[in-house]
Amino acid sequence: MEAQLGRRPRAVREVAYRCPCGLPAVVETSPRLEDGTPFPTLYYLTCSRLNSKLGGLEADGRMREMTERLAEDPDLAAAYRRAHESYLAERDAIEPLGTDVSAGGMPSRVKCLHVCVAHSLAAGRGVNPFGDEALDEVGEWWKPGPCA
């Protein structure tokens, strides 16, 4: 993970998803850092190649487009709200932070595709609609081999 991130990872509880190449791709983190600081990002993407591909989607304006669709599609908005509620329930089962803030802008906007994708990979398809969508768009990121 250090090679993937270029730094030592913080508050890691376990590997939540392994890339088909065998390396960790998503880690589950503690709701608080070692010093007690709240850390609401439960699932953290470690794969540098996937991070880069998602950065490209973000640069292309995908998050703005997704957020606009939330206002236009009540079924999509409901699915994204369920993703938010799932995220909170999973995090609160470890340690409640006393907040309804999850991560990545959920449930009202898409602020970070990395969070959505990490959630989709850790929880499985069908939980986070925007994570699933971004994964479909980036395709088989692992094909060239390990990222680190």
Side-chain angles (χ1 to χ4, degrees), residues 66-85:
M66 291 172 167
T67 298
E68 289 170 359
R69 288 175 32 221
L70 285 173
E72 301 163 359
D73 185 339
D75 292 335
L76 179 61
Y80 198 49
R81 175 160 290 286
R82 286 190 301 273
H84 163 73
E85 291 165 355

Side-chain angles (χ1 to χ4, degrees), residues 3-105:
Q4 290 173 310
L5 296 172
R7 62 171 174 77
R8 187 176 190 159
R10 302 180 302 167
V12 172
R13 289 175 41 86
E14 62 185 35
V15 173
Y17 177 83
R18 284 195 178 274
C19 179
C21 78
L23 292 177
V26 177
V27 294
E28 180 183 283
T29 62
S30 294
R32 293 188 187 275
L33 298 175
E34 290 81 3
D35 67 2
T37 303
F39 190 65
T41 304
L42 177 63
Y43 297 117
Y44 197 87
L45 194 62
T46 61
C47 175
S48 56
R49 184 175 295 124
L50 183 52
N51 271 319
S52 177
K53 288 189 174 284
L54 293 171
L57 293 181
E58 289 182 348
D60 286 343
R62 207 67 87 246
M63 297 174 309
R64 179 184 31 76
E65 295 168 13
M66 291 172 167
T67 298
E68 289 170 359
R69 288 175 32 221
L70 285 173
E72 301 163 359
D73 185 339
D75 292 335
L76 179 61
Y80 198 49
R81 175 160 290 286
R82 286 190 301 273
H84 163 73
E85 291 165 355
S86 167
Y87 202 96
L88 287 176
E90 292 168 44
R91 188 186 70 209
D92 287 351
I94 299 165
E95 180 183 354
L97 291 179
T99 180
D100 64 354
V101 174
S102 56

